[in-house]
């Protein structure tokens, strides 16, 4: 959850946080899609299509007039109170309650039946209900799903479920630029099986909007090694992929999934071989075994960092624990991107979920400019935000709306963290700056002036220390959101950022307080810090400063940059682990940064200044010399402005407002500390 210091934006055209699915009585397909998306990402159910279909069959996504009748709180998934009761206080669901708490911050023990009028609660209740019946794996086939529905709804004809779900419209947008590469990597593939695969691929092609060349499909086949069977741009008049499928060759042999993924990344998703700039990219791997697992995982990771989603269709081999391995190479969320069948003959069962997955794949934006016609909407995933990412969208004519969200893969007006609008007439085009945050998805929609939408809009993306200048916008940093200017954006790149709520091994040793920073086990951009309660935090290094693990003196501390301190303007703190030569600076985001005083200076916590460690001799000509006498002004600045000069009564010490100390010489006589003046006579006796 986002928290912290928000939320009045200075700039018009910026709105923050809207989540309709948490509101009572809302309905409609978008709302259901957001619920299914959110639950799908928690992997609470391994097949979100079932939930999607169930919402439609039960209440037509809540649009059925009976859904929200008074006295009944079943919500969109139509969960009666008896069924809702089954989801409560069930020891078998302990892990699932934890998952809901962790991912959605919902404490199921507090949820009442009335809460199910909010769509997310109704969807969760449906998921928990399935789990309470011990239905943890939902088959791909609609017929079998219909049977499961029959278990939840005894007396209803499962057939209805089946028939209704057949009518779901295709979810592929013909306008979307989509590059799909299908990888075949089977160790056993009989001639008959190859026919099944070919007919399945043909089935898939029929469901994709290939006509206008916005969607392109390629095939990687195998002949001992991975081999291009068809490139994204191989089609020519009179010879299409469908024709090529009929004569596709495949030589089965031991699988090396790592090799085929690598081949795909290096040879198939290239410009020369037909991949388009700014396209959504998906690789679909069909396999019966993942061998050389670590290598495969590593290559899958590279594919993902290139912005290509990997969907795995696994044909289960009953001799291995193959399913887990399919899951570990698929893109996250793995439950969504892993489709599994027991035998190749059943591969058709995966078609709907596959097409849904492929068609929903986000565009990956990298640093650069991407231009789209105004009539087109895009959904994109921002690159990894460990180093910063900033985007600005400018419109030629009309306007443009940008929705950004971390939880929702398809943000829109009903689900967003940030909503920016801009038009060509605006003095400023707002920027969205992101660092140290979960993956961020954006949706960009061209807006028409009057009735027409012409011209184009451009999404400008910058990464790392390269930020936009002369513009203002929103900073989304380590779970906080606020408006900021380009100066802040540049500054944040220097910060150490503490991320909370991350899963890390807790290495903090309660018996040994000599270490406070540890290297992160997997990511050199991060480190682990222990606080004095031995809680582990993950820190993000400043950009381009790797590695940044600091071993300190043996003192531990909690981050002093609390939001209370920051709001009250206290941005500097003593470093309890330092030796007075350094101090802590807080950024507006609650980020603690260690700073060092310049040479010869030490930190004066009372005035928040680095002051000279020794007294200055201001009688010297030019730059004052330092005397070697310790500065007495530190911590004493307010009431004690004068001090006697040790060993010389013709001098005295004067403090400045920061706590620097200067030696001054009396014009006449000697320093009188009581009257705080130089005097030629002995001080009078002071009575009192
Ligand atoms: C469900 O549980 C509530 C509270 O425990 C109880 O009042 C209610 O009667 C139960 N309803 C059904 C239908 O079981
Ligand atoms: C849930 O209820 C418990 C006690 O009944 C309370 O302490 C806790 O704050 C509640 N949590 C939420 C999220 O409301
Ligand atoms: C599958 O292929 C592997 C190696 O290619 C072979 O050892 C195994 O016997 C085959 N299994 C079947 C069921 O054909
Ligand atoms: C795997 O499935 C085949 C065909 O269904 C069967 O003959 C074989 O015994 C199964 N092997 C194991 C280990 O279950
Ligand atoms: C899969 O679906 C396609 C298209 O409907 C069909 O031609 C093919 O026979 C099906 N394959 C199997 C194994 O059912
Ligand atoms: C505590 O940790 C430090 C640094 O790793 C190590 O040198 C030291 O031996 C440890 N002390 C104890 C008592 O384990
Ligand atoms: C104080 O600490 C800094 C680094 O934290 C170190 O470089 C410096 O030598 C220390 N100074 C003294 C006087 O110990």
């Amino acid at each position: 959850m986002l928290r912290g210091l928000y939320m009045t934006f200075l700039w018009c055209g910026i709105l923050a946080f809207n989540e309709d699915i948490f509101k009572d009585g809302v309905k409609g397909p978008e709302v259901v899609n957001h619920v299914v998306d959110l639950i799908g990402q928690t992997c609470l159910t391994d097949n979100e299509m079932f939930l999607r279909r169930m919402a439609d069959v039960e209440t037509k996504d809540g649009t059925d007039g009976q859904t929200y009748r008074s006295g009944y709180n079943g919500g969109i998934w139509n969960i009666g109170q008896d069924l809702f009761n089954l989801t409560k206080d069930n020891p078998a669901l302990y892990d699932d309650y934890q998952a809901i708490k962790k991912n959605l911050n919902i404490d199921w023990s507090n949820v009442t039946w009335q809460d199910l009028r909010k769509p997310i609660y109704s969807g969760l209740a449906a998921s928990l209900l399935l789990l309470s019946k011990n239905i943890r794996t939902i088959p791909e086939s609609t017929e079998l799903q219909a049977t499961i529905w029959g278990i939840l709804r005894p007396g209803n004809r499962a057939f209805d479920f089946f028939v209704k779900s057949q009518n779901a419209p295709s979810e592929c947008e013909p306008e979307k630029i989509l590059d799909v590469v299908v990888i075949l990597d089977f160790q056993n593939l009989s001639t008959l099986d190859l026919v099944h695969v070919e007919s399945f691929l043909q089935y898939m092609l029929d469901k994709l909007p290939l006509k206008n060349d916005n969607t392109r499909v390629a095939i990687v086949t195998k002949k001992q090694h991975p081999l291009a069977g068809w490139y994204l741009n191989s089609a020519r008049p009179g010879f299409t992929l469908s024709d090529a499928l009929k004569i596709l060759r495949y030589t089965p042999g031991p699988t090396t999934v790592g090799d085929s993924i690598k081949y795909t990344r290096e040879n198939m998703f290239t410009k020369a071989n037909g991949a388009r700039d700014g396209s959504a990219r998906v690789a679909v791997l069909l396999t019966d075994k993942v061998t050389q697992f670590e290598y495969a995982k590593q290559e899958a990771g590279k594919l993902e960092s290139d912005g290509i989603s990997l969907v795995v269709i696994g044909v289960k081999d009953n001799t291995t624990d193959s399913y887990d391995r399919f899951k570990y190479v698929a893109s996250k969320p793995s439950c969504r991107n892993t489709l599994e069948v027991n035998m190749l003959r059943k591969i058709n069962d995966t078609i709907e979920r596959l097409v849904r997955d492929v068609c929903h794949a986000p565009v990956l934006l990298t640093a650069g400019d991407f231009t789209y016609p105004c009539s087109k909407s895009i959904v994109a995933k921002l690159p990894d935000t460990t180093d910063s990412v900033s985007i600005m969208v400018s419109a030629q004519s009309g306007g443009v709306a940008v929705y950004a969200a971390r939880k929702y893969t398809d943000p829109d007006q009903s689900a967003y963290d940030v909503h920016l609008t801009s038009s060509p007439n605006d003095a400023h085009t707002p920027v969205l700056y992101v660092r140290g945050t979960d993956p961020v998805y954006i949706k960009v929609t061209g807006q028409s002036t009057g009735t027409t939408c012409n011209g184009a809009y451009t999404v400008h993306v910058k990464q790392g220390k390269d930020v936009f200048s002369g513009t203002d916008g929103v900073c989304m940093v380590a779970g906080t959101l606020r408006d900021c200017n380009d100066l802040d954006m540049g500054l944040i790149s220097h910060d150490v950022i503490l991320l909370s709520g991350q899963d890390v091994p807790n290495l903090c040793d309660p018996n040994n307080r000599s270490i406070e920073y540890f290297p992160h086990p997997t990511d050199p951009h991060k480190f682990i810090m222990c606080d004095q309660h031995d809680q582990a935090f993950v820190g993000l290094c400043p950009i381009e400063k790797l590695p940044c693990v600091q071993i300190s003196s043996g003192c531990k501390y909690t981050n002093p940059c609390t939001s209370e301190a920051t709001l009250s303007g206290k941005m500097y703190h003593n470093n309890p682990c330092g030796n007075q030569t350094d101090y802590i600076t807080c950024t507006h985001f609650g980020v603690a940064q260690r700073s060092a005083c310049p040479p010869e200076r030490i930190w004066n916590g009372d005035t928040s200044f680095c002051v000279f460690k020794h007294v200055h001799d201001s009688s010297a000509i030019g730059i004052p010399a330092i005397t070697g006498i310790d500065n007495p002004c530190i911590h004493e600045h307010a009431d004690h402005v004068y001090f006697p000069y040790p060993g010389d009564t013709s001098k005295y010490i004067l403090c400045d407002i920061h706590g620097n100390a200067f030696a001054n010489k009396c014009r006449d006589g000697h320093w009188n500390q009581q009257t705080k003046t130089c005097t030629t006579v002995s001080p009078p006796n002071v009575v009192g």
Side-chain angles (χ1 to χ4, degrees):
M1 298 285 139
L2 282 173
R3 70 209 143 68
L5 311 167
Y6 49 90
M7 203 74 289
T8 354
F9 286 111
L10 298 176
W11 319 108
C12 47
I14 301 178
L15 295 171
F17 296 121
N18 185 37
E19 295 184 89
D20 281 357
I21 65 171
F22 284 88
K23 296 176 188 162
D24 262 24
V26 295
K27 57 186 113 178
E30 277 99 21
V31 164
V32 170
N33 284 336
H34 288 311
V35 171
V36 168
D37 179 20
L38 211 51
I39 295 178
Q41 290 189 71
T42 65
C43 291
L44 204 58
T45 72
D46 71 344
N47 186 336
E48 61 195 57
M49 284 301 279
F50 181 83
L51 272 191
R52 184 68 199 83
R53 288 173 173 145
M54 189 175 162
D56 182 37
V57 174
E58 293 287 351
T59 64
K60 292 199 181 67
D61 296 346
T63 59
D64 186 310
Q66 291 291 300
T67 311
Y68 292 114
R69 64 188 177 275
S70 86
Y72 182 77
N73 302 317
I76 292 177
W77 277 266
N78 191 19
I79 306 297
Q81 194 176 16
D82 49 341
L83 295 180
F84 172 70
N85 281 1
L86 296 177
T87 71
K88 296 280 286 183
D89 303 323
N90 183 338
L93 300 181
Y94 179 79
D95 289 345
D96 307 302
Y97 298 145
Q98 298 287 303
I100 292 173
K101 175 74 186 143
K102 177 167 167 264
N103 289 293
L104 301 171
N105 199 22
I106 292 173
D107 187 345
W108 198 256
S109 64
N110 291 12
V111 173
T112 63
W113 190 45
Q114 282 71 22
D115 288 325
L116 271 49
R117 302 181 84 86
K118 305 180 183 92
I120 182 67
Y121 289 88
S122 183
L124 284 171
S127 309
L128 287 170
L129 182 60
L130 285 169
L131 297 170
S132 75
K133 308 244 175 208
N134 208 19
I135 301 168
R136 291 202 170 254
T137 305
I138 295 176
E140 299 295 341
S141 118
T142 319
E143 290 94 326
L144 292 178
Q145 289 185 11
T147 314
I148 289 178
W149 187 68
I151 297 172
L152 299 183
R153 290 272 176 254
N156 277 296
R157 289 186 316 149
F159 179 69
D160 294 342
F161 184 95
F162 180 65
V163 171
K164 283 195 181 175
S165 22
Q166 296 300 300
N167 302 328
S170 164
E171 302 186 53
C172 254
E173 220 187 289
E175 292 287 304
K176 179 166 174 173
I177 308 287
L178 178 63
D179 293 325
V180 184
V181 176
V182 178
I183 309 166
L184 306 180
D185 196 355
F186 289 100
Q187 61 172 356
N188 301 102
L189 193 71
S190 65
T191 314
L192 180 61
D193 283 341
L194 181 60
V195 172
H196 289 327
V197 169
E198 285 165 2
S199 70
F200 170 72
L201 293 179
Q202 184 56 52
Y203 194 10
M204 182 185 94
L205 295 181
D206 294 345
K207 297 223 166 206
L208 295 175
L210 296 174
K211 280 197 200 73
N212 54 10
D213 199 38
N214 283 336
T215 298
R216 291 181 178 177
V217 180
I219 310 272
V220 173
T221 177
K222 191 161 79 173
K223 195 175 175 185
Q224 286 177 336
H225 299 290
L227 183 75
W230 185 262
Y231 289 114
L232 291 165
N233 58 358
S234 289
R236 7 182 222 287
F239 197 70
T240 63
L241 176 52
S242 294
D243 303 312
L245 271 183
K246 294 184 189 114
I247 54 169
L248 183 71
R249 294 291 160 84
Y250 183 86
T251 317
T255 58
T256 40
V257 166
D259 278 343
S260 22
I261 297 176
K262 183 165 192 262
Y263 181 87
T264 301
R265 181 170 57 84
E266 290 176 350
N267 299 288
M268 305 304 287
F269 284 108
T270 62
K271 223 168 173 168
N273 289 332
R276 276 87 42 91
D277 280 342
S279 61
R281 299 180 177 191
V282 192
V284 180
L285 169 68
L286 277 67
T287 187
D288 53 356
K289 196 175 177 76
V290 176
T291 50
Q292 299 180 0
F293 180 56
E294 286 302 327
Y295 171 48
K297 226 169 84 170
Q298 196 183 339
E299 284 301 327
K302 286 187 191 166
L303 196 72
E304 204 173 346
S305 36
D306 276 9
I308 302 162
S309 315
L310 179 63
V311 179
V312 179
I313 300 183
V315 180
K316 252 209 303 204
D317 170 346
N318 62 0
T319 59
T320 59
D321 56 341
S322 46
Y323 178 62
D324 271 356
R325 303 208 151 194
F326 297 146
K327 206 161 72 180
Y328 285 123
V329 289
S331 299
K332 289 195 186 75
S334 55
C335 50
R336 177 177 293 170
N337 292 314
T338 311
L339 296 85
E340 182 206 30
V341 286
N342 285 321
M343 53 191 95
L344 250 173
R345 261 189 309 119
K346 295 282 183 195
I347 195 168
N348 274 4
D349 290 347
T350 64
I351 194 77
E352 275 184 70
R353 194 143 78 95
L354 175 69
V355 169
R356 181 180 160 94
D357 255 17
V358 165
C359 293
H360 283 211
V363 170
L364 181 101
L365 297 173
T366 48
D369 295 342
F370 301 86
T371 299
Y372 299 89
C374 166
S375 57
K376 211 171 267 193
S377 291
I378 60 153
V379 175
K381 187 177 174 183
L382 298 187
D384 179 32
T385 62
T386 305
D387 283 351
S388 73
V389 174
S390 26
I391 64 158
M392 185 171 89
V393 184
S394 58
Q396 260 174 19
S397 69
V400 70
V402 181
Y403 301 95
R406 296 163 316 137
K407 282 189 297 189
Y408 302 92
T409 58
D410 190 5
D412 61 14
Q413 71 287 346
S414 66
Y416 60 81
D417 293 348
V418 181
H419 172 28
L420 310 171
T421 48
S422 64
S423 78
N425 309 327
D426 291 347
H428 296 286
T429 307
V431 169
L432 175 64
Y433 177 97
V434 190
R435 184 163 182 236
T437 291
D438 300 334
V440 174
Y441 295 87
I442 60 167
K443 179 178 210 142
V444 185
T445 314
Q447 301 196 316
S448 51
T449 43
T451 53
T452 55
C453 182
N454 45 33
Y457 62 83
T458 301
V459 184
H460 312 270
V461 183
K462 295 188 179 224
Q463 269 187 287
K465 288 195 164 168
D466 186 20
V467 293
F468 294 96
S469 55
T471 50
D472 306 301
V474 189
C475 280
M476 191 190 259
V477 177
T480 61
L481 195 61
R482 63 182 276 271
D483 53 11
C484 59
N485 60 35
D486 63 319
L487 184 65
D488 300 324
M489 296 172 204
L491 287 177
I492 299 163
S493 66
H494 301 290
D495 286 342
V496 167
I497 292 183
L498 288 183
L499 308 169
S500 56
Q502 299 254 327
D503 281 326
V504 283
N506 190 333
L507 301 170
C508 307
D509 177 1
N511 300 316
N512 187 352
R513 305 223 134 170
S514 66
I515 302 176
E516 58 180 342
Y517 298 103
F518 298 90
H520 192 279
T522 55
D523 189 344
H525 292 88
K526 295 179 182 160
F527 62 93
I528 296 175
M529 190 190 101
C530 300
D531 73 4
Q532 58 200 7
H533 307 295
D534 282 323
Q535 286 172 311
F537 293 89
V538 175
L540 197 58
C541 302
I543 293 176
E544 291 163 14
K545 278 210 181 125
L546 300 178
C548 68
V549 175
Q550 306 163 42
I551 304 294
S552 88
S553 57
C555 160
K556 291 189 178 189
Y557 59 91
T558 38
N559 183 351
C561 305
T562 58
S563 43
E564 293 76 19
T566 310
L567 282 172
S568 69
K570 190 156 172 50
M571 309 303 275
Y572 301 98
H573 300 265
N574 295 330
N575 179 0
C577 300
N579 58 12
Q580 274 199 298
T581 67
D582 61 3
Y583 59 100
I584 303 289
T585 309
C586 300
T587 71
H588 294 290
F589 307 100
V591 173
Q593 201 183 351
R594 188 188 298 198
S595 311
C597 288
E600 266 305 322
R601 293 189 207 221
I602 54 177
W603 180 246
N604 186 354
D606 285 0
T607 60
S608 296
F609 259 88
C610 286
V611 295
F612 282 101
K613 194 173 173 186
H614 296 113
V615 174
H616 272 201
D617 191 345
S618 56
S619 64
I621 300 190
I623 298 166
I626 295 165
T627 59
I629 298 169
D630 281 351
N631 177 349
C633 301
I634 295 169
H635 311 307
E636 304 291 348
H637 60 97
D639 312 319
H640 301 232
V641 179
Y642 299 98
F643 289 90
Y645 190 94
D648 186 347
T649 55
S650 71
K651 290 181 176 174
Y652 63 96
I653 293 170
L654 174 65
C655 304
D656 75 2
I657 55 165
H658 302 313
N660 283 301
F662 296 93
N664 286 296
K665 197 166 173 55
C666 290
R667 237 181 296 167
D668 285 314
H670 298 273
W671 178 250
N672 181 330
Q673 181 64 18
Q674 268 171 318
T675 59
K676 310 245 178 352
T677 52
C678 291
T679 162
T680 49
V681 295
S682 304
N685 287 331
V686 178
V687 182

